[in-house]
PDB file of all heavy atoms in Angstrom:
ATOM      1  N   ARG A   1      -3.081   2.118  -7.273  1.00 98.00           N
ATOM      2  CA  ARG A   1      -3.979   1.441  -8.193  1.00 98.00           C
ATOM      3  C   ARG A   1      -4.993   2.423  -8.763  1.00 98.00           C
ATOM      4  O   ARG A   1      -5.280   3.432  -8.157  1.00 98.00           O
ATOM      5  CB  ARG A   1      -4.699   0.277  -7.499  1.00 98.00           C
ATOM      6  CG  ARG A   1      -5.735   0.695  -6.456  1.00 98.00           C
ATOM      7  CD  ARG A   1      -6.307  -0.529  -5.763  1.00 98.00           C
ATOM      8  NE  ARG A   1      -7.359  -0.171  -4.806  1.00 98.00           N
ATOM      9  CZ  ARG A   1      -7.928  -1.025  -3.977  1.00 98.00           C
ATOM     10  NH1 ARG A   1      -7.570  -2.308  -3.987  1.00 98.00           N
ATOM     11  NH2 ARG A   1      -8.870  -0.601  -3.127  1.00 98.00           N
ATOM     12  N   GLN A   2      -5.496   2.062  -9.930  1.00 98.00           N
ATOM     13  CA  GLN A   2      -6.486   2.882 -10.583  1.00 98.00           C
ATOM     14  C   GLN A   2      -7.551   1.963 -11.213  1.00 98.00           C
ATOM     15  O   GLN A   2      -7.246   1.193 -12.129  1.00 98.00           O
ATOM     16  CB  GLN A   2      -5.871   3.754 -11.655  1.00 98.00           C
ATOM     17  CG  GLN A   2      -6.809   4.768 -12.266  1.00 98.00           C
ATOM     18  CD  GLN A   2      -6.093   5.808 -13.100  1.00 98.00           C
ATOM     19  OE1 GLN A   2      -4.918   5.652 -13.435  1.00 98.00           O
ATOM     20  NE2 GLN A   2      -6.788   6.859 -13.472  1.00 98.00           N
ATOM     21  N   ALA A   3      -8.770   2.075 -10.737  1.00 97.00           N
ATOM     22  CA  ALA A   3      -9.870   1.327 -11.255  1.00 97.00           C
ATOM     23  C   ALA A   3     -10.367   1.989 -12.560  1.00 97.00           C
ATOM     24  O   ALA A   3     -10.132   3.186 -12.780  1.00 97.00           O
ATOM     25  CB  ALA A   3     -11.014   1.247 -10.226  1.00 97.00           C
ATOM     26  N   PRO A   4     -11.034   1.222 -13.417  1.00 91.00           N
ATOM     27  CA  PRO A   4     -11.563   1.824 -14.648  1.00 91.00           C
ATOM     28  C   PRO A   4     -12.456   3.015 -14.349  1.00 91.00           C
ATOM     29  O   PRO A   4     -13.429   2.906 -13.577  1.00 91.00           O
ATOM     30  CB  PRO A   4     -12.334   0.691 -15.285  1.00 91.00           C
ATOM     31  CG  PRO A   4     -11.694  -0.567 -14.737  1.00 91.00           C
ATOM     32  CD  PRO A   4     -11.285  -0.212 -13.348  1.00 91.00           C
ATOM     33  N   GLY A   5     -12.147   4.147 -14.905  1.00 93.00           N
ATOM     34  CA  GLY A   5     -12.915   5.360 -14.708  1.00 93.00           C
ATOM     35  C   GLY A   5     -12.706   6.024 -13.356  1.00 93.00           C
ATOM     36  O   GLY A   5     -13.360   7.014 -13.058  1.00 93.00           O
ATOM     37  N   GLY A   6     -11.802   5.482 -12.552  1.00 95.00           N
ATOM     38  CA  GLY A   6     -11.569   6.007 -11.232  1.00 95.00           C
ATOM     39  C   GLY A   6     -10.279   6.774 -11.097  1.00 95.00           C
ATOM     40  O   GLY A   6      -9.531   6.939 -12.088  1.00 95.00           O
ATOM     41  N   GLN A   7     -10.016   7.269  -9.914  1.00 95.00           N
ATOM     42  CA  GLN A   7      -8.790   7.990  -9.616  1.00 95.00           C
ATOM     43  C   GLN A   7      -7.696   7.059  -9.119  1.00 95.00           C
ATOM     44  O   GLN A   7      -7.987   6.009  -8.525  1.00 95.00           O
ATOM     45  CB  GLN A   7      -9.055   9.068  -8.564  1.00 95.00           C
ATOM     46  CG  GLN A   7     -10.063  10.127  -8.982  1.00 95.00           C
ATOM     47  CD  GLN A   7     -10.301  11.160  -7.893  1.00 95.00           C
ATOM     48  OE1 GLN A   7     -10.016  10.922  -6.711  1.00 95.00           O
ATOM     49  NE2 GLN A   7     -10.824  12.310  -8.280  1.00 95.00           N
ATOM     50  N   ARG A   8      -6.474   7.453  -9.377  1.00 95.00           N
ATOM     51  CA  ARG A   8      -5.357   6.663  -8.842  1.00 95.00           C
ATOM     52  C   ARG A   8      -5.249   6.899  -7.329  1.00 95.00           C
ATOM     53  O   ARG A   8      -5.238   8.035  -6.887  1.00 95.00           O
ATOM     54  CB  ARG A   8      -4.063   7.054  -9.535  1.00 95.00           C
ATOM     55  CG  ARG A   8      -2.873   6.172  -9.142  1.00 95.00           C
ATOM     56  CD  ARG A   8      -1.653   6.434 -10.006  1.00 95.00           C
ATOM     57  NE  ARG A   8      -1.880   6.089 -11.400  1.00 95.00           N
ATOM     58  CZ  ARG A   8      -0.942   6.034 -12.320  1.00 95.00           C
ATOM     59  NH1 ARG A   8       0.321   6.264 -11.993  1.00 95.00           N
ATOM     60  NH2 ARG A   8      -1.249   5.740 -13.581  1.00 95.00           N
ATOM     61  N   GLU A   9      -5.183   5.811  -6.594  1.00 97.00           N
ATOM     62  CA  GLU A   9      -5.161   5.893  -5.137  1.00 97.00           C
ATOM     63  C   GLU A   9      -4.021   5.059  -4.568  1.00 97.00           C
ATOM     64  O   GLU A   9      -3.601   4.058  -5.137  1.00 97.00           O
ATOM     65  CB  GLU A   9      -6.481   5.430  -4.542  1.00 97.00           C
ATOM     66  CG  GLU A   9      -6.794   3.985  -4.816  1.00 97.00           C
ATOM     67  CD  GLU A   9      -8.077   3.492  -4.142  1.00 97.00           C
ATOM     68  OE1 GLU A   9      -8.692   4.264  -3.408  1.00 97.00           O
ATOM     69  OE2 GLU A   9      -8.453   2.320  -4.366  1.00 97.00           O
ATOM     70  N   LEU A  10      -3.544   5.516  -3.435  1.00 96.00           N
ATOM     71  CA  LEU A  10      -2.499   4.785  -2.720  1.00 96.00           C
ATOM     72  C   LEU A  10      -3.049   3.479  -2.170  1.00 96.00           C
ATOM     73  O   LEU A  10      -4.147   3.441  -1.603  1.00 96.00           O
ATOM     74  CB  LEU A  10      -1.948   5.639  -1.583  1.00 96.00           C
ATOM     75  CG  LEU A  10      -0.956   4.975  -0.626  1.00 96.00           C
ATOM     76  CD1 LEU A  10       0.369   4.739  -1.344  1.00 96.00           C
ATOM     77  CD2 LEU A  10      -0.743   5.826   0.606  1.00 96.00           C
ATOM     78  N   VAL A  11      -2.264   2.406  -2.315  1.00 98.00           N
ATOM     79  CA  VAL A  11      -2.631   1.108  -1.769  1.00 98.00           C
ATOM     80  C   VAL A  11      -1.743   0.818  -0.539  1.00 98.00           C
ATOM     81  O   VAL A  11      -2.273   0.562   0.550  1.00 98.00           O
ATOM     82  CB  VAL A  11      -2.455   0.000  -2.799  1.00 98.00           C
ATOM     83  CG1 VAL A  11      -2.792  -1.359  -2.183  1.00 98.00           C
ATOM     84  CG2 VAL A  11      -3.350   0.265  -4.032  1.00 98.00           C
ATOM     85  N   ALA A  12      -0.450   0.826  -0.701  1.00 98.00           N
ATOM     86  CA  ALA A  12       0.457   0.513   0.384  1.00 98.00           C
ATOM     87  C   ALA A  12       1.843   1.036   0.037  1.00 98.00           C
ATOM     88  O   ALA A  12       2.227   1.054  -1.123  1.00 98.00           O
ATOM     89  CB  ALA A  12       0.512  -0.983   0.652  1.00 98.00           C
ATOM     90  N   THR A  13       2.569   1.435   1.045  1.00 97.00           N
ATOM     91  CA  THR A  13       3.947   1.900   0.875  1.00 97.00           C
ATOM     92  C   THR A  13       4.819   1.346   1.987  1.00 97.00           C
ATOM     93  O   THR A  13       4.343   1.050   3.093  1.00 97.00           O
ATOM     94  CB  THR A  13       4.057   3.410   0.879  1.00 97.00           C
ATOM     95  OG1 THR A  13       3.673   3.948   2.142  1.00 97.00           O
ATOM     96  CG2 THR A  13       3.176   4.042  -0.202  1.00 97.00           C
ATOM     97  N   THR A  14       6.088   1.250   1.709  1.00 95.00           N
ATOM     98  CA  THR A  14       7.091   0.909   2.728  1.00 95.00           C
ATOM     99  C   THR A  14       8.318   1.784   2.505  1.00 95.00           C
ATOM    100  O   THR A  14       8.696   2.042   1.356  1.00 95.00           O
ATOM    101  CB  THR A  14       7.454  -0.590   2.685  1.00 95.00           C
ATOM    102  OG1 THR A  14       8.376  -0.889   3.742  1.00 95.00           O
ATOM    103  CG2 THR A  14       8.078  -0.978   1.353  1.00 95.00           C
ATOM    104  N   SER A  15       8.927   2.225   3.574  1.00 91.00           N
ATOM    105  CA  SER A  15      10.089   3.106   3.496  1.00 91.00           C
ATOM    106  C   SER A  15      11.282   2.459   4.177  1.00 91.00           C
ATOM    107  O   SER A  15      11.167   1.444   4.876  1.00 91.00           O
ATOM    108  CB  SER A  15       9.780   4.447   4.125  1.00 91.00           C
ATOM    109  OG  SER A  15       9.441   4.302   5.512  1.00 91.00           O
ATOM    110  N   SER A  16      12.438   3.069   3.951  1.00 86.00           N
ATOM    111  CA  SER A  16      13.686   2.510   4.430  1.00 86.00           C
ATOM    112  C   SER A  16      13.764   2.503   5.967  1.00 86.00           C
ATOM    113  O   SER A  16      14.568   1.750   6.527  1.00 86.00           O
ATOM    114  CB  SER A  16      14.878   3.288   3.854  1.00 86.00           C
ATOM    115  OG  SER A  16      14.815   4.658   4.218  1.00 86.00           O
ATOM    116  N   ASN A  17      12.977   3.346   6.626  1.00 86.00           N
ATOM    117  CA  ASN A  17      12.981   3.348   8.095  1.00 86.00           C
ATOM    118  C   ASN A  17      12.071   2.275   8.694  1.00 86.00           C
ATOM    119  O   ASN A  17      11.905   2.200   9.914  1.00 86.00           O
ATOM    120  CB  ASN A  17      12.596   4.724   8.640  1.00 86.00           C
ATOM    121  CG  ASN A  17      11.223   5.170   8.229  1.00 86.00           C
ATOM    122  OD1 ASN A  17      10.432   4.396   7.690  1.00 86.00           O
ATOM    123  ND2 ASN A  17      10.912   6.429   8.483  1.00 86.00           N
ATOM    124  N   GLY A  18      11.433   1.483   7.831  1.00 86.00           N
ATOM    125  CA  GLY A  18      10.587   0.389   8.282  1.00 86.00           C
ATOM    126  C   GLY A  18       9.134   0.717   8.382  1.00 86.00           C
ATOM    127  O   GLY A  18       8.318  -0.185   8.649  1.00 86.00           O
ATOM    128  N   ASN A  19       8.760   1.955   8.182  1.00 93.00           N
ATOM    129  CA  ASN A  19       7.333   2.338   8.248  1.00 93.00           C
ATOM    130  C   ASN A  19       6.574   1.788   7.092  1.00 93.00           C
ATOM    131  O   ASN A  19       7.059   1.772   5.946  1.00 93.00           O
ATOM    132  CB  ASN A  19       7.203   3.852   8.292  1.00 93.00           C
ATOM    133  CG  ASN A  19       7.644   4.441   9.612  1.00 93.00           C
ATOM    134  OD1 ASN A  19       7.660   3.760  10.633  1.00 93.00           O
ATOM    135  ND2 ASN A  19       8.010   5.718   9.583  1.00 93.00           N
ATOM    136  N   ARG A  20       5.365   1.314   7.369  1.00 96.00           N
ATOM    137  CA  ARG A  20       4.459   0.821   6.333  1.00 96.00           C
ATOM    138  C   ARG A  20       3.112   1.485   6.491  1.00 96.00           C
ATOM    139  O   ARG A  20       2.614   1.671   7.602  1.00 96.00           O
ATOM    140  CB  ARG A  20       4.321  -0.708   6.427  1.00 96.00           C
ATOM    141  CG  ARG A  20       5.638  -1.443   6.271  1.00 96.00           C
ATOM    142  CD  ARG A  20       5.442  -2.948   6.350  1.00 96.00           C
ATOM    143  NE  ARG A  20       6.716  -3.637   6.299  1.00 96.00           N
ATOM    144  CZ  ARG A  20       6.853  -4.980   6.256  1.00 96.00           C
ATOM    145  NH1 ARG A  20       5.789  -5.731   6.247  1.00 96.00           N
ATOM    146  NH2 ARG A  20       8.058  -5.516   6.217  1.00 96.00           N
ATOM    147  N   ASN A  21       2.534   1.854   5.372  1.00 97.00           N
ATOM    148  CA  ASN A  21       1.234   2.506   5.354  1.00 97.00           C
ATOM    149  C   ASN A  21       0.314   1.776   4.411  1.00 97.00           C
ATOM    150  O   ASN A  21       0.729   1.299   3.353  1.00 97.00           O
ATOM    151  CB  ASN A  21       1.388   3.975   4.948  1.00 97.00           C
ATOM    152  CG  ASN A  21       2.176   4.763   5.947  1.00 97.00           C
ATOM    153  OD1 ASN A  21       1.749   4.967   7.060  1.00 97.00           O
ATOM    154  ND2 ASN A  21       3.318   5.257   5.523  1.00 97.00           N
ATOM    155  N   TYR A  22      -0.973   1.738   4.772  1.00 98.00           N
ATOM    156  CA  TYR A  22      -1.985   1.089   3.982  1.00 98.00           C
ATOM    157  C   TYR A  22      -3.197   1.977   3.848  1.00 98.00           C
ATOM    158  O   TYR A  22      -3.555   2.724   4.743  1.00 98.00           O
ATOM    159  CB  TYR A  22      -2.416  -0.219   4.613  1.00 98.00           C
ATOM    160  CG  TYR A  22      -1.352  -1.280   4.725  1.00 98.00           C
ATOM    161  CD1 TYR A  22      -0.568  -1.372   5.866  1.00 98.00           C
ATOM    162  CD2 TYR A  22      -1.089  -2.150   3.691  1.00 98.00           C
ATOM    163  CE1 TYR A  22       0.437  -2.339   5.992  1.00 98.00           C
ATOM    164  CE2 TYR A  22      -0.107  -3.120   3.798  1.00 98.00           C
ATOM    165  CZ  TYR A  22       0.646  -3.214   4.939  1.00 98.00           C
ATOM    166  OH  TYR A  22       1.609  -4.154   5.041  1.00 98.00           O
ATOM    167  N   ALA A  23      -3.850   1.857   2.687  1.00 98.00           N
ATOM    168  CA  ALA A  23      -5.137   2.478   2.548  1.00 98.00           C
ATOM    169  C   ALA A  23      -6.132   1.782   3.460  1.00 98.00           C
ATOM    170  O   ALA A  23      -6.032   0.572   3.703  1.00 98.00           O
ATOM    171  CB  ALA A  23      -5.591   2.394   1.100  1.00 98.00           C
ATOM    172  N   ASP A  24      -7.092   2.534   3.963  1.00 98.00           N
ATOM    173  CA  ASP A  24      -8.086   1.947   4.866  1.00 98.00           C
ATOM    174  C   ASP A  24      -8.830   0.797   4.219  1.00 98.00           C
ATOM    175  O   ASP A  24      -9.220  -0.168   4.890  1.00 98.00           O
ATOM    176  CB  ASP A  24      -9.075   3.009   5.321  1.00 98.00           C
ATOM    177  CG  ASP A  24      -8.473   4.035   6.271  1.00 98.00           C
ATOM    178  OD1 ASP A  24      -7.431   3.722   6.864  1.00 98.00           O
ATOM    179  OD2 ASP A  24      -9.041   5.130   6.406  1.00 98.00           O
ATOM    180  N   SER A  25      -9.029   0.876   2.919  1.00 97.00           N
ATOM    181  CA  SER A  25      -9.810  -0.130   2.217  1.00 97.00           C
ATOM    182  C   SER A  25      -9.124  -1.467   2.101  1.00 97.00           C
ATOM    183  O   SER A  25      -9.773  -2.484   1.847  1.00 97.00           O
ATOM    184  CB  SER A  25     -10.195   0.354   0.806  1.00 97.00           C
ATOM    185  OG  SER A  25      -9.022   0.645   0.073  1.00 97.00           O
ATOM    186  N   VAL A  26      -7.797  -1.502   2.322  1.00 98.00           N
ATOM    187  CA  VAL A  26      -7.046  -2.754   2.173  1.00 98.00           C
ATOM    188  C   VAL A  26      -6.370  -3.203   3.452  1.00 98.00           C
ATOM    189  O   VAL A  26      -5.883  -4.339   3.526  1.00 98.00           O
ATOM    190  CB  VAL A  26      -5.995  -2.649   1.058  1.00 98.00           C
ATOM    191  CG1 VAL A  26      -6.608  -2.159  -0.227  1.00 98.00           C
ATOM    192  CG2 VAL A  26      -4.835  -1.736   1.460  1.00 98.00           C
ATOM    193  N   ARG A  27      -6.359  -2.360   4.479  1.00 98.00           N
ATOM    194  CA  ARG A  27      -5.703  -2.709   5.729  1.00 98.00           C
ATOM    195  C   ARG A  27      -6.336  -3.960   6.334  1.00 98.00           C
ATOM    196  O   ARG A  27      -7.548  -4.072   6.429  1.00 98.00           O
ATOM    197  CB  ARG A  27      -5.800  -1.534   6.698  1.00 98.00           C
ATOM    198  CG  ARG A  27      -4.998  -1.767   7.995  1.00 98.00           C
ATOM    199  CD  ARG A  27      -5.006  -0.535   8.901  1.00 98.00           C
ATOM    200  NE  ARG A  27      -4.307   0.603   8.307  1.00 98.00           N
ATOM    201  CZ  ARG A  27      -4.868   1.653   7.821  1.00 98.00           C
ATOM    202  NH1 ARG A  27      -6.193   1.784   7.843  1.00 98.00           N
ATOM    203  NH2 ARG A  27      -4.151   2.639   7.296  1.00 98.00           N
ATOM    204  N   GLY A  28      -5.463  -4.870   6.707  1.00 98.00           N
ATOM    205  CA  GLY A  28      -5.910  -6.160   7.239  1.00 98.00           C
ATOM    206  C   GLY A  28      -6.048  -7.250   6.206  1.00 98.00           C
ATOM    207  O   GLY A  28      -6.111  -8.413   6.553  1.00 98.00           O
ATOM    208  N   ARG A  29      -6.097  -6.876   4.944  1.00 98.00           N
ATOM    209  CA  ARG A  29      -6.173  -7.827   3.847  1.00 98.00           C
ATOM    210  C   ARG A  29      -4.915  -7.886   3.013  1.00 98.00           C
ATOM    211  O   ARG A  29      -4.534  -8.967   2.534  1.00 98.00           O
ATOM    212  CB  ARG A  29      -7.346  -7.513   2.937  1.00 98.00           C
ATOM    213  CG  ARG A  29      -8.714  -7.539   3.617  1.00 98.00           C
ATOM    214  CD  ARG A  29      -9.840  -7.374   2.634  1.00 98.00           C
ATOM    215  NE  ARG A  29      -9.791  -6.101   1.942  1.00 98.00           N
ATOM    216  CZ  ARG A  29      -9.684  -5.944   0.641  1.00 98.00           C
ATOM    217  NH1 ARG A  29      -9.563  -7.016  -0.144  1.00 98.00           N
ATOM    218  NH2 ARG A  29      -9.644  -4.725   0.109  1.00 98.00           N
ATOM    219  N   PHE A  30      -4.264  -6.752   2.840  1.00 98.00           N
ATOM    220  CA  PHE A  30      -3.048  -6.663   2.041  1.00 98.00           C
ATOM    221  C   PHE A  30      -1.841  -6.517   2.946  1.00 98.00           C
ATOM    222  O   PHE A  30      -1.896  -5.884   3.988  1.00 98.00           O
ATOM    223  CB  PHE A  30      -3.075  -5.465   1.072  1.00 98.00           C
ATOM    224  CG  PHE A  30      -4.087  -5.585  -0.023  1.00 98.00           C
ATOM    225  CD1 PHE A  30      -5.032  -6.586  -0.078  1.00 98.00           C
ATOM    226  CD2 PHE A  30      -4.073  -4.643  -1.064  1.00 98.00           C
ATOM    227  CE1 PHE A  30      -5.961  -6.685  -1.073  1.00 98.00           C
ATOM    228  CE2 PHE A  30      -4.987  -4.740  -2.100  1.00 98.00           C
ATOM    229  CZ  PHE A  30      -5.932  -5.746  -2.117  1.00 98.00           C
ATOM    230  N   THR A  31      -0.695  -7.045   2.531  1.00 98.00           N
ATOM    231  CA  THR A  31       0.539  -6.922   3.240  1.00 98.00           C
ATOM    232  C   THR A  31       1.660  -6.568   2.251  1.00 98.00           C
ATOM    233  O   THR A  31       1.869  -7.263   1.261  1.00 98.00           O
ATOM    234  CB  THR A  31       0.926  -8.204   3.976  1.00 98.00           C
ATOM    235  OG1 THR A  31      -0.130  -8.567   4.908  1.00 98.00           O
ATOM    236  CG2 THR A  31       2.211  -7.991   4.773  1.00 98.00           C
ATOM    237  N   ILE A  32       2.368  -5.495   2.530  1.00 97.00           N
ATOM    238  CA  ILE A  32       3.503  -5.091   1.719  1.00 97.00           C
ATOM    239  C   ILE A  32       4.761  -5.519   2.447  1.00 97.00           C
ATOM    240  O   ILE A  32       4.926  -5.336   3.638  1.00 97.00           O
ATOM    241  CB  ILE A  32       3.487  -3.562   1.410  1.00 97.00           C
ATOM    242  CG1 ILE A  32       4.582  -3.228   0.408  1.00 97.00           C
ATOM    243  CG2 ILE A  32       3.638  -2.762   2.680  1.00 97.00           C
ATOM    244  CD1 ILE A  32       4.464  -1.836  -0.160  1.00 97.00           C
ATOM    245  N   SER A  33       5.700  -6.094   1.695  1.00 95.00           N
ATOM    246  CA  SER A  33       6.947  -6.577   2.285  1.00 95.00           C
ATOM    247  C   SER A  33       8.113  -6.275   1.350  1.00 95.00           C
ATOM    248  O   SER A  33       8.061  -6.652   0.180  1.00 95.00           O
ATOM    249  CB  SER A  33       6.876  -8.052   2.605  1.00 95.00           C
ATOM    250  OG  SER A  33       6.564  -8.822   1.454  1.00 95.00           O
ATOM    251  N   PRO A  34       9.147  -5.623   1.844  1.00 90.00           N
ATOM    252  CA  PRO A  34      10.303  -5.305   0.999  1.00 90.00           C
ATOM    253  C   PRO A  34      11.410  -6.316   1.119  1.00 90.00           C
ATOM    254  O   PRO A  34      11.546  -7.036   2.116  1.00 90.00           O
ATOM    255  CB  PRO A  34      10.762  -3.954   1.534  1.00 90.00           C
ATOM    256  CG  PRO A  34      10.474  -4.070   3.006  1.00 90.00           C
ATOM    257  CD  PRO A  34       9.226  -4.946   3.137  1.00 90.00           C
ATOM    258  N   ASP A  35      12.195  -6.394   0.083  1.00 85.00           N
ATOM    259  CA  ASP A  35      13.487  -7.103   0.105  1.00 85.00           C
ATOM    260  C   ASP A  35      14.526  -6.097  -0.342  1.00 85.00           C
ATOM    261  O   ASP A  35      14.819  -5.968  -1.524  1.00 85.00           O
ATOM    262  CB  ASP A  35      13.468  -8.319  -0.822  1.00 85.00           C
ATOM    263  CG  ASP A  35      14.704  -9.160  -0.682  1.00 85.00           C
ATOM    264  OD1 ASP A  35      15.733  -8.650  -0.197  1.00 85.00           O
ATOM    265  OD2 ASP A  35      14.684 -10.357  -1.101  1.00 85.00           O
ATOM    266  N   ASN A  36      15.065  -5.377   0.625  1.00 73.00           N
ATOM    267  CA  ASN A  36      15.925  -4.246   0.333  1.00 73.00           C
ATOM    268  C   ASN A  36      17.183  -4.632  -0.424  1.00 73.00           C
ATOM    269  O   ASN A  36      17.674  -3.882  -1.280  1.00 73.00           O
ATOM    270  CB  ASN A  36      16.289  -3.522   1.631  1.00 73.00           C
ATOM    271  CG  ASN A  36      15.104  -2.854   2.278  1.00 73.00           C
ATOM    272  OD1 ASN A  36      14.215  -2.326   1.599  1.00 73.00           O
ATOM    273  ND2 ASN A  36      15.094  -2.836   3.595  1.00 73.00           N
ATOM    274  N   ALA A  37      17.714  -5.793  -0.101  1.00 73.00           N
ATOM    275  CA  ALA A  37      18.936  -6.236  -0.766  1.00 73.00           C
ATOM    276  C   ALA A  37      18.757  -6.458  -2.264  1.00 73.00           C
ATOM    277  O   ALA A  37      19.699  -6.352  -3.043  1.00 73.00           O
ATOM    278  CB  ALA A  37      19.493  -7.505  -0.105  1.00 73.00           C
TER     279      ALA A  37
END
């Protein structure tokens, strides 16, 4: 995501091995979920 006048920052990612990562600012509030098929 990129706020007006701000830098682009990572929010959340998910990989094929099942790992999920979140920015500290959104952890606990945001959930990323894939549908690989």
